Amino acid sequence: MNIHKTVRKDIIELLSGKVEGVKHFYNGNAFFSDVQEQLPAVSVAIASATCDGVGIGAIEWNGTLDITIFVPMFESEDVLDELAEQINSLIRMGYGYKSVRQFRTGVGYDYTFDSEQHTWKCATLSYSIDYGQQILS
């Protein structure tokens, strides 16, 4: 749905050029054809999206915003933690989001490893968000 694309683009716009060492940002789940060239990278995705009626003919969305940081497998978790700290600071600071109305308190943080090819490791920051009011016609 277009509202989800808008939210992801809004967050990527906030992060682009401001996270030290990261040049590649993905709107949605990332796929790497050349890990050496594409990492470190950040992907922005929305999970568990639901909508609620907020008025006659209008709905509001809420879901989980997942910001995943990918680094080469040989990097330490310290590198992931530093990049996550930069991203979390930018999210907390905000800038007048175009599409996200509210970041709820609390953040999830999880590490994952490429268990198939052993080429990358990642950390995911998860935020519960309210976003986009859509007028039904």
Side-chain angles (χ1 to χ4, degrees):
M1 300 189 81
N2 287 335
I3 186 63
H4 301 110
K5 178 174 63 176
T6 301
V7 170
R8 292 188 306 262
K9 288 173 82 174
D10 195 15
I11 299 303
I12 289 170
E13 184 178 299
L14 168 68
L15 300 177
S16 291
K18 297 178 187 122
V19 181
E20 190 176 323
V22 177
K23 294 181 182 146
H24 301 282
F25 292 86
Y26 295 88
N27 185 332
N29 295 316
F31 169 78
F32 305 112
S33 57
D34 185 348
V35 174
Q36 290 185 340
E37 287 294 318
Q38 292 174 276
L39 297 184
V42 170
S43 73
V44 178
I46 297 173
S48 305
T50 60
C51 61
D52 297 311
V54 293
I56 297 174
I59 57 174
E60 178 176 86
W61 289 89
N62 52 61
T64 302
L65 175 69
D66 289 328
I67 302 173
T68 304
I69 307 143
F70 296 88
V71 297
M73 185 63 98
F74 61 82
E75 294 286 0
S76 70
E77 279 83 4
D78 291 349
V79 172
L80 287 169
D81 295 341
E82 176 56 38
L83 293 171
E85 191 65 40
Q86 290 178 49
I87 290 169
N88 191 49
S89 293
L90 289 165
I91 292 292
R92 279 194 334 249
M93 187 176 12
Y95 71 106
Y97 297 104
K98 298 174 197 166
S99 58
V100 178
R101 274 200 290 289
Q102 180 179 0
F103 280 83
R104 296 191 193 136
T105 4
V107 60
Y109 190 64
D110 188 35
Y111 296 104
T112 309
F113 304 90
D114 176 6
S115 59
E116 293 177 15
Q117 297 180 11
H118 307 288
T119 56
W120 53 259
K121 63 175 72 168
C122 67
T124 301
L125 288 157
S126 298
Y127 301 89
S128 181
I129 60 171
D130 295 328
Y131 58 98
Q133 189 168 351
Q134 183 178 10
I135 306 301
L136 303 174
S137 42

